[in-house]
Amino acid sequence: MQEQFYRVIAIDGPAASGKSSVARELSRQLGFVYVNSGAIYRAITWYILQKRIDPEDGECITEVLKSAPITGALQDNELRVVIDGVDPADHLRDDCVNEKVAGVSQFPEVRQVVAEKLHKDAYSHNLIVEGRDIGSVVFPDTPYKFYVDASPQVRLQRRAAQGWRDEIAQRDRADSSRPVSPLVIAKDACVIDTSLLTIDEVVSQIIARLKQLGLPIAS
Ligand code: DC
């Protein structure tokens, strides 16, 4: 019998648009497992930097990933990324990772590894997956697609409030202009500008839309 994906809610958008906070709160309210696909790209970037692999050498990265399994540890309804047996959570926001992750994530082979991991997760859980290409490329058949955005000023303020150094304009450019799976709005995605909204307001809009789409939700 052919395996089938569980339900997948895709939340895409640029850096600091509010994806993570919204996806976490949605996961709490709906009981779906939360997956941050950006964290998987960050884990890969951290891993290859730590192994002193050139982050611009796609072939070498692909080779290294063949012997570094990417798995997940379910904790509080969130699938945390584990690479080669190590949970790199404390390093995912390191400056060197912020700087190199957009470059590493442009390699098609790296994207393939991440997509396969996400597909595997969707064979065993209902998921809320945040990222850049989740609704457009990784799960194009899910009806539950959202694209969250915010003005550049608001996104910069959010990063500053988090105390992270992150060249988001530079990453936006790289994420939107790469040839493979660039950041785009999937044609059937519901677009939400979060600039002037609280997390709860965004979550309410998403839940209203999910109900409209027929997702069975209690209350
Ligand atoms: O969401 P984030 O800022 O943590 O993502 C880090 C980087 O990973 C981002 O600059 C681009 C890449 N990414 C991607 O290419 N595709 C995804 N689905 C998620 C993230």
Side-chain angles (χ1 to χ4, degrees):
M1 197 180 83
Q2 207 191 343
E3 283 184 289
Q4 290 221 324
F5 289 155
Y6 277 63
R7 292 184 171 117
V8 174
I9 299 173
I11 303 193
D12 289 302
S17 55
K19 299 186 299 290
S20 304
S21 314
V22 165
R24 276 214 173 83
E25 179 55 22
L26 255 186
S27 148
R28 199 187 63 74
Q29 294 194 25
L30 302 182
F32 281 32
V33 169
Y34 165 57
V35 183
N36 179 343
S37 64
I40 309 177
Y41 288 102
R42 286 174 180 276
I44 292 172
T45 305
W46 168 78
Y47 185 79
I48 58 135
L49 290 174
Q50 189 227 13
K51 294 269 173 203
R52 308 235 174 269
I53 308 293
D54 177 358
E56 292 178 16
D57 186 341
E59 265 178 43
C60 193
I61 297 172
T62 307
E63 212 39 51
V64 167
L65 288 181
K66 285 184 187 155
S67 53
I70 298 172
T71 51
L74 194 55
Q75 196 182 323
D76 298 330
N77 227 25
E78 171 172 349
L79 262 177
R80 293 163 65 102
V81 59
V82 173
I83 184 161
D84 204 10
V86 180
D87 178 345
D90 290 343
H91 299 286
L92 299 183
R93 300 275 162 193
D94 287 357
D95 287 348
C96 57
V97 173
N98 282 338
E99 199 184 309
K100 298 295 179 193
V101 65
V104 170
S105 58
Q106 70 172 322
F107 294 115
E109 297 81 2
V110 172
R111 304 203 69 77
Q112 184 63 27
V113 166
V114 176
E116 280 169 13
K117 156 84 174 89
L118 294 170
H119 288 168
K120 208 162 144 218
D121 295 338
Y123 286 131
S124 35
H125 305 282
N126 284 324
L127 298 180
I128 295 174
V129 189
E130 67 155 284
R132 302 290 190 288
D133 61 341
I134 305 305
S136 56
V137 175
V138 183
F139 294 105
D141 295 334
T142 182
Y144 313 119
K145 296 181 190 175
F146 297 87
Y147 185 94
V148 297
D149 207 346
S151 70
Q153 295 94 314
V154 167
R155 295 194 288 122
L156 274 175
Q157 280 163 10
R158 286 178 183 163
R159 274 296 185 258
Q162 287 163 320
W164 296 340
R165 254 189 47 206
D166 190 358
E167 298 293 334
I168 60 175
Q170 203 174 313
R171 282 206 296 130
D172 283 352
R173 262 196 306 279
D175 294 344
S176 304
S177 63
R178 66 175 171 235
V180 184
S181 310
L183 172 66
V184 290
I185 304 177
K187 64 176 180 343
D188 48 346
C190 167
V191 179
I192 302 177
D193 184 337
T194 69
S195 304
L196 301 175
L197 300 177
T198 63
I199 294 167
D200 285 344
E201 286 169 335
V202 179
V203 169
S204 299
Q205 286 195 16
I206 292 181
I207 289 184
R209 173 80 182 148
L210 290 170
K211 284 182 178 167
Q212 253 179 20
L213 290 168
L215 183 72
I217 295 175
S219 91

